[in-house]
Amino acid sequence: MSTRFDTKIAVLLRDDLETWQRLNVTAFLVSGFGTRLPEVIGEPYEDADGVPYLPMFRQPVLVFEGTKENLTTAHAKALARALPVALFTGDLFTTGNDTDNRAAVRAVGTAGLDLVGLAVYGPRNAVDKILKGTRMHP
């Protein structure tokens, strides 16, 4: 049975990333949603033997890809709509910890960010408009 959600969790990756970068960026981007948006998290899991597991998102995470220009446009649209956004810049590939990651982002103005990925959460139709011109990740 498939459920249609009124909201969407989406990741947009720049289309020139290496495979390991795509996976790494996706993991980092979605990690913040559960800490700030409790409504995106489902109930904990448990197997038939009673072993507990962590809860996960209650809905699918859709992954898209696009050009650097697509990311810049999507970022601006998401900010204009005041939707929750996570970002990953090219500078973060050279840092090794959260403190340095935050410093690297803080050092660059919004218009100068070298975006390689972003994640956004919000009403389905708003997220669809933000991602217009991109394509589902293969």
Side-chain angles (χ1 to χ4, degrees), residues 10-112:
V11 173
L12 176 57
L13 303 171
R14 203 165 72 194
D15 58 7
D16 62 351
L17 297 179
E18 299 288 333
T19 300
W20 73 268
Q21 292 173 317
R22 291 170 187 253
L23 296 170
N24 184 267
V25 170
T26 300
F28 269 96
L29 286 172
V30 298
S31 68
F33 285 140
T35 63
R36 298 289 181 152
L37 305 164
E39 69 270 18
V40 302
I41 301 298
E43 295 297 319
Y45 287 72
E46 183 177 293
D47 67 25
D49 294 322
V51 176
Y53 300 95
L54 294 172
M56 295 187 282
F57 291 125
R58 65 178 182 84
Q59 67 188 85
V61 175
L62 302 173
V63 182
F64 297 80
E65 69 174 5
T67 64
K68 184 174 185 170
E69 293 76 22
N70 290 139
L71 272 133
T72 300
T73 300
H75 182 240
K77 287 179 180 179
L79 294 179
R81 292 178 179 271
L83 294 180
V85 178
L87 61 80
F88 198 102
T89 67
D91 296 331
L92 302 188
F93 289 126
T94 64
T95 59
N97 60 74
D98 186 52
T99 300
D100 291 341
N101 286 350
R102 284 183 283 109
V105 172
R106 183 178 291 279
V108 180
T110 306

